[in-house]
Amino acid sequence: MSATVNDTHDPALRCWVDSAQQPEIDFPIQNLPYGRYRQAGSTQGWRIGVAIGDQILDLRATGLIDTDDLNELMSWSSEQRLQLRRAISLGLREGSAQRQAWSKLLLAQSEAEMTVPCRIGDYTDFYTGIHHATAVGRLFRPDQPLMPNYKWVPIGYHGRASSIRVSGQQFKRPRGQTKAPDAAEPSFGPSRRLDYELELGFYVAQGNALGEPLSMDAAEERLFGVSLLNDWSARDLQAWEYQPLGPFLSKSFASTVSPWIVTAEALAPFRAPFVRDAGEPAPLPYLDSEGNRASGAVDIMLEVSIQTRRMAEAGQPAVRLTLGNSREAAYWTPAQLLAHHTVNGCNLQPGDLLGSGTLSGPQPDQCGSLLELTVGGKQPIQLPGGEQRTFLEDGDTLILRGWCVRDGAVRIGLGEVRGTVLP
Ligand code: MN
């Protein structure tokens, strides 16, 4: 079963950090995500922080843990993780005896430098967005958009962990081999079809031993939390290289994550039943469980915005490209991804990252990539100031945001992930 709603989610809770009380803030006391930070401009070691309002609480300095290694905390049992969450919540509540001591352990987020939240040993990117898979498949195979395996096997490929960076990443436009459909031979140069992918990143908590698959129930308990993930993609490199072994250099040049991991415990009020439409195949037994059917899905609002270099220079704010929802987009739940990943005996480790795949909704204004939004680059989108885009240009900044809302619960946010394309 997924984490259950408890006193740490109570909408009536109030926090002694003033900014945590603001409506619409991403990090109220009901959230309590983890990240790694230090004072900006310093060379201090990275510390584990908890985002609260517009501040960061130094977790080790509270005495609740004795490490600055988030992977160590990730290896804890779900019960231990829940106890830590409750202790942090109690200390931050109005009237807490810790207030005086803990108020000295805060740093404004505006004064902090963030890094990738943990050591990501391995990164696997899935393809759970069925509307994305269908729309992209239609561009290449109009008669058979979805491959016959799609509704049975959670499709994935092994991604590259070394090029994952935290929000704020700037990276050079990748170069590589491309081949135009009418060209006799490939050519070499900068990608001309650079794209983003709106994804969620699921972090693994306790791993599993090599040769010991995780059941669905165990997999649910091994989900540590979620962040935003932009899986930058060079579509022209991808089109030429992907057969027969899948994406390679078209994906491995950069991936950007948001700095805060919103925990599985914090997501408890925002879980949703896993449902399949009538006529869809039921998952095989190893991908099915009562808990998954009851509350395996996650309900997260997802937004993509863009600010071009010209917009930035003119002082124009970023403009929204799309707004969608993870539950509508994803064909598989996080626990199904963990269970499937381990079913052959493959071992996952604390801090491993599983990408959801591009989370596009069924509507055109819910697309999670430019490939879909511009129908393969054929229908440019219009931006304020008269600019057009089919794919990303140098100087473009992409911003992904995510948040959860539900009647009877306090809104929590995932923060944001931004990244900029350099020439
Ligand atoms: Mn992807």
Side-chain angles (χ1 to χ4, degrees), residues 275-347:
V275 283
R276 283 275 162 85
D277 293 342
E280 297 284 304
L284 292 181
Y286 81 93
L287 294 173
D288 184 31
S289 74
E290 202 182 316
N292 193 62
R293 270 174 265 140
S295 58
V298 286
D299 194 347
I300 300 174
M301 297 298 297
L302 295 166
E303 179 195 62
V304 181
S305 309
I306 190 170
Q307 188 185 44
T308 67
R309 181 162 52 200
R310 208 204 288 177
M311 288 166 70
E313 285 168 0
Q316 277 180 323
V319 61
R320 177 188 284 177
L321 293 178
T322 56
L323 177 65
N325 175 286
S326 61
R327 183 177 44 81
E328 283 181 354
Y331 196 73
W332 304 99
T333 65
Q336 286 172 324
L337 303 186
L338 269 78
H340 182 68
H341 206 310
T342 63
V343 74
N344 66 344
C346 173
N347 53 322

Side-chain angles (χ1 to χ4, degrees), residues 123 125-127 157 197 199 231 233 251 357-358:
Y123 161 46
D125 197 25
F126 282 92
Y127 201 49
Y157 68 94
E197 289 190 339
E199 302 198 21
D231 178 31
S233 299
K251 302 278 193 170
T358 306

Side-chain angles (χ1 to χ4, degrees), residues 186-210:
S187 55
F188 179 83
S191 169
R192 296 181 189 287
R193 288 163 72 90
L194 186 60
D195 202 353
Y196 63 89
E197 289 190 339
L198 166 65
E199 302 198 21
L200 290 172
F202 302 113
Y203 288 89
V204 175
Q206 274 180 305
N208 60 299
L210 186 60

Side-chain angles (χ1 to χ4, degrees), residues 139 193 321 364 367 369-383 388-391:
L139 294 174
R193 288 163 72 90
L321 293 178
C367 293
S369 70
L370 283 172
L371 186 66
E372 295 156 86
L373 208 52
T374 67
V375 196
K378 290 195 277 289
Q379 295 176 14
I381 50 169
Q382 304 292 328
L383 298 175
Q388 286 190 344
R389 283 294 179 275
T390 48
F391 290 96

